[in-house]
Amino acid sequence: MSRPAPPPIYTLRGAGGPLNTLHFSCHEEGTPLLFSGSGQGAIHIWNLNSRRAAKIIEGHSGSSIICVSTLQSTDTLISQGRDMQVCLWDLSEGRSELLDSVWTGSVGFCQCSVLEMSPSKYLLAFAGQQTEEIKITELPSKTPVCSLVPEGKLGMVMCMKLWQPDSGLGPLLLAGYEDGSLLLWDVTQRSTLSQVKAHPEPVMCLTFDTKRLRGVSGSSEKKLSSWTLDGQNNLQLQDSVMLVNPGVSQLCIRDDGKLLASAGWDHRVRVFGWKKLRPLAVLQYHTDLVLSVAFSDHQDPRKRLLAAGSKDQRISLWSIYNEGADTG
């Protein structure tokens, strides 16, 4: 059973639009920050000490922001908007200068995925101009790497995750499609390694634990689908997790591999133990669809937070570090 949940420890208001995407940057030496992207085209950089917006970046001509992320190795912010642009921003020394942009050709809602190969080189995967196409580009050189198009008719690319396996293979990419399929791509070989039908409806979101080779995906139905990757890079469907209400916008696994959070269309955030997908808590605060969830990357477990962004234009922050002891 889910235990009764406390209220959020605080909330952030003033984003001025639905909160489609959240990303923490909480390094020991700097001010803990939360980045948010809104449906009105604003990127807010929230100072979590003052609990106020330290800076607002308007970078996508008022188009909805669907993804924000930062690079570990440099003070670079990556933002993606429905203006078909992925923008790179220099945040060093208090700046917010546009460094470069990549035209995607896609007006969909699929969030891009970034993989840092070295301090000076990273890969960007994004939905391309064709319906089922995924493009991968090397940055900052903007060198095209490949275009991945499945053989069958799977519909639009809905979500993706790019990562580097420990096995020594080149980068791999997981993608969810409109027909409910999950595909595993070998980026170097430009080939499909595995394919499963995870949902009868479009795959709205997925997240993948690269250490345990386990993933989970959500759709408009009343369940989460869990799956694993075996030693031969075959996707294997596991148990489903039934939900009280249908619809999941986003999923996020905490870095320590203990907790999973889901952003629900029913205005709620659900927290599960990642090991056995056991429900731990239902977080109720928002008055509209929850669109985004993110765990903070604080080094100190006692400072770790869970943030949720909603269509109600508010961000809630929750302290749930005590739940980490319960990994069931």
Side-chain angles (χ1 to χ4, degrees):
M1 285 291 292
S2 301
R3 68 190 68 176
I9 54 169
Y10 60 92
T11 60
L12 301 173
R13 300 168 184 249
L19 278 311
N20 297 325
T21 175
L22 299 170
H23 174 78
F24 280 98
S25 181
C26 302
H27 306 299
E28 287 183 25
E29 63 276 6
T31 303
L33 301 174
L34 175 65
F35 296 82
S36 68
S38 84
Q40 300 301 315
I43 301 163
H44 284 66
I45 305 177
W46 303 91
N47 180 324
L48 297 182
N49 289 336
S50 67
R51 303 179 182 180
R52 296 180 183 277
K55 184 166 291 188
I56 302 172
I57 301 172
E58 304 274 358
H60 289 269
S61 307
S63 294
S64 181
I65 309 294
I66 58 174
C67 187
V68 289
S69 183
T70 55
L71 296 179
Q72 297 275 339
S73 50
T74 60
D75 291 320
T76 302
L77 168 70
I78 297 173
S79 64
Q80 179 187 11
R82 294 200 70 209
D83 59 348
M84 299 188 284
Q85 299 282 347
V86 174
C87 294
L88 314 178
W89 306 87
D90 177 13
L91 300 183
S92 61
E93 299 174 353
R95 288 191 285 264
S96 54
E97 295 177 5
L98 180 63
L99 294 171
D100 209 344
S101 62
V102 176
W103 186 77
T104 66
S106 170
V107 295
F109 293 92
C110 181
Q111 296 183 332
C112 63
S113 183
V114 179
L115 174 63
E116 294 186 57
M117 306 297 287
S118 72
S120 59
K121 185 174 83 171
Y122 50 103
L123 297 179
L124 175 72
F126 54 89
Q129 197 168 3
Q130 297 179 43
T131 300
E132 294 156 333
E133 179 185 31
I134 297 170
K135 285 189 172 181
I136 300 179
T137 298
E138 183 184 300
L139 294 173
S141 67
K142 296 172 75 170
T143 306
V145 174
C146 64
S147 177
L148 306 174
V149 180
E151 291 182 4
K153 294 293 183 184
L154 307 182
M156 290 174 61
V157 185
M158 305 296 292
C159 47
M160 65 180 75
K161 166 75 173 178
L162 188 62
W163 92 98
Q164 178 68 54
D166 295 332
S167 61
L169 285 171
L172 301 179
L173 183 137
L174 275 162
Y177 293 83
E178 192 176 2
D179 80 331
S181 293
L182 290 173
L183 264 66
L184 177 67
W185 290 94
D186 182 326
V187 173
T188 307
Q189 300 296 324
R190 284 92 164 134
S191 62
T192 306
L193 295 174
S194 181
Q195 178 174 346
V196 294
K197 188 72 178 288
H199 301 273
E201 300 292 333
V203 185
M204 302 302 296
C205 53
L206 65 81
T207 188
F208 184 68
D209 183 337
T210 59
K211 297 184 184 70
R212 296 160 186 84
L213 299 182
R214 290 180 60 213
V216 63
S217 51
S219 73
S220 60
E221 43 181 341
K222 291 171 65 171
K223 72 167 190 174
L224 301 177
S225 179
S226 68
W227 29 272
T228 59
L229 200 58
D230 68 16
Q232 285 72 48
N233 286 319
N234 292 314
L235 289 165
Q236 306 278 356
L237 291 178
Q238 303 292 312
D239 294 337
S240 296
V241 180
M242 299 310 296
L243 302 173
V244 176
N245 299 306
V248 181
S249 303
Q250 204 171 66
L251 294 159
C252 185
I253 301 167
R254 202 166 71 178
D255 283 346
D256 61 6
K258 292 183 176 180
L259 298 178
L260 169 74
S262 69
W265 294 2
D266 62 356
H267 314 171
R268 293 167 175 81
V269 176
R270 285 180 164 78
V271 180
F272 303 86
W274 177 227
K275 187 177 179 181
K276 297 178 182 176
L277 290 175
R278 189 162 67 84
L280 297 179
V282 179
L283 308 181
Q284 300 187 52
Y285 165 75
H286 292 287
T287 58
D288 210 329
L289 281 71
V290 182
L291 302 174
S292 51
V293 282
F295 285 106
S296 74
D297 51 351
H298 285 96
Q299 293 299 307
D300 183 350
R302 293 170 297 177
K303 294 181 180 178
R304 287 181 188 151
L305 301 171
L306 170 63
S310 171
K311 193 177 177 182
D312 66 13
Q313 306 186 16
R314 291 177 288 183
I315 301 170
S316 58
L317 288 107
W318 310 77
S319 176
I320 54 169
Y321 76 93
N322 285 328
E323 313 284 5
D326 190 342
T327 57

